[in-house]
């Protein structure tokens, strides 16, 4: 079983930056892809960005050019660098790991963009 722990959320002003981290831990696990999703109040959870073990990335259109997902395989950690944050980026952000026979989620970290 893979456990995911997110960190790095918080309150930031519009135009500011935050860096989210997600560390995966467990015994004898393999991860194909990791990603970040977000869910705003009253809305469905949506993909923000994901990255494969080969470092192929995919982004939601609204974050392209502002967010960057990276992965440190040796540490089983994925990062989401978020720049030029907007009010509409406010949401709970969840880390996701996809492996053989499983899809696991972290508990989430809140990002609030407000002046």
């Amino acid at each position: 079983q893979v456990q995911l722990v997110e960190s790095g959320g918080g309150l930031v002003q519009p135009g500011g930056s935050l860096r989210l981290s997600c560390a995966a831990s467990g015994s004898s696990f393999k991860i194909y892809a990791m990603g970040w999703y977000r869910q705003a109040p009253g809305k469905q959870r949506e993909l923000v960005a994901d990255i494969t073990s080969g470092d192929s990335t995919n982004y939601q259109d609204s974050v392209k050019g502002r967010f960057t997902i990276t992965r440190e395989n040796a540490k089983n950690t994925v990062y989401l660098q978020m720049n030029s944050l907007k009010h509409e980026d406010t949401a709970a952000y969840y880390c996701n790991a996809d492996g053989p026979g499983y899809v696991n989620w972290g508990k989430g970290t809140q990002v609030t963009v407000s002046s």
Side-chain angles (χ1 to χ4, degrees), residues 20 35-39 45-50 58-64 66-69 80 82 89 91-94:
L20 306 183
W36 288 96
Y37 288 70
R38 67 186 180 188
Q39 187 168 18
R45 189 172 296 188
E46 60 180 10
L47 173 69
V48 177
D50 59 20
N58 176 48
Y59 295 91
Q60 181 191 114
D61 285 346
S62 68
V63 307
K64 286 180 180 178
R66 300 189 297 123
F67 291 11
T68 302
I69 188 169
L80 185 68
M82 305 186 293
D89 293 319
Y93 283 70
Y94 297 90

Side-chain angles (χ1 to χ4, degrees), residues 21-39:
S21 299
C22 172
S25 63
S27 59
S28 302
F29 63 92
K30 183 174 182 177
I31 300 176
Y32 295 147
M34 297 184 75
W36 288 96
Y37 288 70
R38 67 186 180 188
Q39 187 168 18

Side-chain angles (χ1 to χ4, degrees), residues 79-95:
Y79 306 96
L80 185 68
Q81 178 66 44
M82 305 186 293
N83 299 328
S84 303
L85 283 160
K86 305 176 180 180
H87 289 290
E88 51 264 43
D89 293 319
T90 295
Y93 283 70
Y94 297 90
C95 179

Side-chain angles (χ1 to χ4, degrees), residues 1-14:
Q1 189 75 351
V2 176
Q3 291 81 43
L4 303 172
V5 178
E6 303 103 331
S7 61
L11 173 65
V12 63
Q13 292 186 343

